[in-house]
Amino acid sequence: MIKTSPVYKKALLSTALAFGLVTSGVGLAANQKNALPEIGVVASSAISLDKEIQIGDVLMRQLRGQAPIINDPLLDEYIQDLGNRLVAQADNVKFPFEFFLLNSADINAFAFFGGHVGVHTGLIYNARNESELASVLAHEVSHVTQRHIARSIAAQQKSSPLQLASALGGILLALANPEAGIAAISAGSAASAQASINYTRQNEKEADSIGIRILAQAGFDPNGASDFFGTLVEKYRLKSRTPAFLLTHPLPESRVADARTRAASYKTGRIAPSLSFHLAKSRILARYYATPEYNINYFETSLERDSYTFKAAAEYGLALAYLADKQNEKAGDLIDSLLQKDPRNLFYLDTYTDVALETGRVQDAIDKLTAQAVLTPRNRVITLNLANALVKNKEFDQAVRLLKDYLLVEPENMLAHQILSDAYAESQNKLEMHQTKAEVYALAASYPRAIDELHSAYNYAGTQNIEKQRIRARIEQFRAFQTRLESL
């Protein structure tokens, strides 16, 4: 796992479903509560697709600076691949989807403007199989493709432009401070609140229906949705604390039955369990949840009792736990054994790299990753691990070339920018270091800090007049972005 120093302290304790926050707080006229606007017609009158993308970009940048987003190439690769399989079966896809993870034990997921879908690690950890996890992602994809936020705004526009402005402000506030955000957008009469709840349920029903179709067409078990709902209801039946997912997704008893009925209309065969899903669960526990001592005991006990779906996933989790406990030799033995059976598995290659770097075998890591990079160029796991290993081996020029090539394809990958900044810092290239740091700050919507970094870069530009002009132009861009942020 690549470790870099965080640019910002994480201030967001939990993130609520952006769609749920909007629709639970804005009022609708009573005679509109059962209306389902035509997709892209009424919605576009409230907010254009271009505007939706702009707002989504702003919200995503703010989340990077405030929320506990995980910059973990392996988990990012897994959740994006899973999400893409679902998006490929969806209609009305207007823009690329970005799936990202937050380090939170809450069982929750949320979608907002521009195709952004956030997933809490607690959702993956508590799902019993990949179809249950995929059912939640399919539901969120449906919220986006049906433009439920824009449709809610369109309906609200007809009753009160002032409340519309309050709702949009509430979205931004809620992402930074959930309790304050909910309070900001919940003001209004009891009648408008009830109308809004009815509209929310209607949207949820629509997202359920479309989500289950997407789920089945993508090759997952369409019963994943009803199974997941049933698991949540049973798990929290006797507990006072309601999970975040149920707070933002109203769950009357009829919803579970409706999901089962819809799933019955699709043919289902045996769905093989997913090794990647169970490897992701093991990684979340070993890397983000418990202590090394607990994890060693947990995975050793699982292996002794044969209480696992995949033995490889339990062994992988144990290797991570050993590595975190500085038992590098034991970790290395397990990973070497796993790689012999599955030499191209990204989870194993990532941990092999970690063990090699910890034990001073940097060149071994570079050799293995380079061979894999030939087979899978620009793969985020291989590329970022290889670049990090090259920096550790003081091969700065090669690391820079690799990262710049990758950033042409993934220009908003914050971890790539951070490793690139480290490469420039280690090679004493202050000009490029400050410019790259500026891009990191900009990705977190911290434009004043980004501009400060560019001023520092300008001072190192010396007589490079063309470079100075480029820096000045980027400063003006960041100032314009800051203005746009304030206007939104």
Side-chain angles (χ1 to χ4, degrees), residues 377-378 383 399-410:
R378 295 197 180 99
T383 299
V400 167
R401 285 195 298 270
L402 186 66
L403 289 166
K404 282 190 170 182
D405 182 59
Y406 177 74
L407 285 168
L408 290 174
V409 181
E410 297 289 343

Side-chain angles (χ1 to χ4, degrees), residues 192-221:
S192 72
Q194 181 58 51
S196 135
I197 290 171
N198 291 339
Y199 192 84
T200 298
R201 288 174 179 167
Q202 197 167 39
N203 286 338
E204 289 297 310
K205 184 176 181 179
E206 185 177 27
D208 282 348
S209 177
I210 295 172
I212 290 172
R213 175 182 62 77
I214 291 173
L215 190 66
Q217 290 179 348
F220 296 99
D221 183 356

Side-chain angles (χ1 to χ4, degrees), residues 256-272:
V256 179
D258 288 344
R260 290 196 182 114
T261 301
R262 291 191 187 97
S265 64
Y266 297 95
K267 293 181 180 180
T268 57
R270 181 181 179 277
I271 307 297

Side-chain angles (χ1 to χ4, degrees), residues 89 92 132 310 359 376 433 468:
Q89 302 301 322
N92 304 305
E132 287 191 359
F310 287 96
T359 55
T376 54
M433 180 195 73
K468 284 184 173 182

